[in-house]
Amino acid sequence: MPELTNASYIESGLPTRDRQRDPEKTRQALESWFSTALPHRSDLHVTEVTLPRTAGVANETLLCETSWTEAGVARSAGYVVRVNSPDFLYKDADLTVHAEMYRVLGREPGIPVPAVVGLETDTGVLGEAFFVMERVEGRVPGDTPPFHTTGWVHDLVPSERAVLWRNAVEVMARLHQVDPAKVAFLDRPHLGPDGLRQDLAHWFDVAAWVARGRVDPVIAAAERWLRAHLPPTGITALAWGDSRLPNLMFSGLDVAAVFDWDMVCLAGAESDLAWWTVMDYSSTESVGVERLPGIGSPAQTVRRWQELVGRDAANLDFHLVYASYRLAVILRRLGDLYGATGAMAPETIEELRSNNFGQQYLVQILDLPHPHSITMTWPGLEI
């Protein structure tokens, strides 16, 4: 039986209808869209559209090349098109939030993001809403297989990896210091008085949406624990959401771009530190993979973050449970999406639904009864 060893299931994609997209029709549609969006570019052509092998469960990504004439000079550039998926992994997914995050952070020093060309909500162009970004050149740490086992990060020397890791933590720390008023569109006052309570209410709603009446005892126990241990002080501060190295692009050892805002919220920096921790462990200690020298451990990441922002991380015990809870819900949803396609063996689908690594972490952290075997150990976090 395949084990749930890391986050590769989240990124691997589902066989949705987007994979049947006709390349030439897509090229023509994008050429028309670019010509309207960038009217100052004469004789604009989309010369190539690359369709990925997998569409992704959160959204589809297309890469396109363009050429045009500007002031009599021939020019060319590459772009990334992010298209909504018809099979949503995340409840209430909104590409507008992604585009707006890139626009806001593009004005913040020290947080590199791609420039947004435009957002298209008319589904008549590509069949779904989409937005277009300038393409950033660089390399992304591997997720499947994990960069700790192979790939360009694996091939660096330890001193280079240490620089890469420090640069990543520094960018994350800068992100956490963005004034939340600049991302006020993330505020959901109908869900609670502060950002953390809003996000918690949102994820309880997501869990119910995923469950569809099917009670999972581990997730239910975690919800009771989270309600009982909610930090008394309200938190409203920017959180990346899916904070991890594979959501960064690097040019050399410098961060060239920060990506992925599917889980962005106002739950605060500690929620990101906890998510970084559980995602890190899921591809290293929890599965017996040796950490690459130079890539700081979760504890070292938290300590470095504390040095950068000038304060201690608070309530990490709560946030580690909360991160594991969100993982459990996401992977349960993913099991349903894969189950609907027949793309995975039934036993693997059942693992995703009832014994995924988020659930296994919760069982160990909260000392819960569990009828399934534990295949991913929880290493703990001592700062």
Side-chain angles (χ1 to χ4, degrees), residues 174-370:
R174 292 188 202 111
L175 180 73
H176 291 151
Q177 296 176 79
V178 171
D179 183 351
K182 295 179 179 180
V183 288
F185 54 88
L186 298 176
D187 189 23
R188 296 172 284 190
H190 62 287
L191 293 179
D194 61 77
L196 176 57
R197 283 164 174 77
Q198 291 172 13
D199 199 55
L200 192 65
H202 168 71
W203 278 97
F204 287 168
D205 181 57
V206 171
W209 172 71
V210 170
R212 291 179 289 117
R214 302 165 299 169
V215 176
D216 179 84
V218 172
I219 291 175
E223 287 183 0
R224 292 192 295 270
W225 188 95
L226 289 166
R227 293 181 192 276
H229 294 84
L230 187 63
T233 304
I235 298 169
T236 300
L238 181 59
W240 180 1
D242 197 359
S243 50
R244 53 199 181 98
L245 275 173
N247 278 334
L248 296 169
M249 178 174 281
F250 292 85
S251 176
L253 303 177
D254 296 325
V255 177
V258 187
F259 298 121
D260 201 326
W261 308 103
D262 285 305
M263 297 170 63
V264 66
C265 63
L266 295 175
E270 281 80 357
S271 67
D272 276 347
L273 296 174
W275 187 268
W276 184 290
T277 296
V278 297
M279 298 305 287
D280 177 285
Y281 282 157
S282 72
S283 58
T284 55
E285 281 91 330
S286 292
V287 289
V289 172
E290 184 176 355
R291 177 180 305 281
L292 285 173
I295 300 295
S297 67
Q300 290 171 319
T301 296
V302 173
R303 288 196 292 269
R304 179 61 182 143
W305 178 90
Q306 292 178 154
E307 293 172 357
L308 291 165
V309 303
R311 70 171 179 86
D312 290 342
N315 304 306
L316 279 179
D317 288 346
F318 173 89
H319 283 285
L320 289 169
V321 174
Y322 187 33
S324 300
Y325 168 82
R326 284 176 288 161
L327 272 173
V329 171
I330 290 168
L331 290 172
R332 196 180 189 202
R333 166 65 174 161
L334 198 56
D336 287 345
L337 289 174
Y338 274 117
T341 68
M344 274 188 175
E347 60 267 27
T348 305
I349 299 299
E350 185 55 32
E351 282 277 293
L352 281 167
R353 289 170 171 162
S354 62
N355 195 33
N356 64 56
F357 68 83
Q359 290 160 317
Q360 291 190 32
Y361 284 169
L362 289 170
V363 166
Q364 294 169 82
I365 295 171
L366 300 179
D367 193 22
L368 301 174
H370 194 49

Side-chain angles (χ1 to χ4, degrees), residues 12-16 18-19 52-61 83 85:
S12 59
L14 289 170
T16 65
D18 292 317
R19 295 192 192 172
R53 291 174 58 192
T54 57
V57 294
N59 43 55
E60 179 188 11
T61 300
V83 188
S85 170

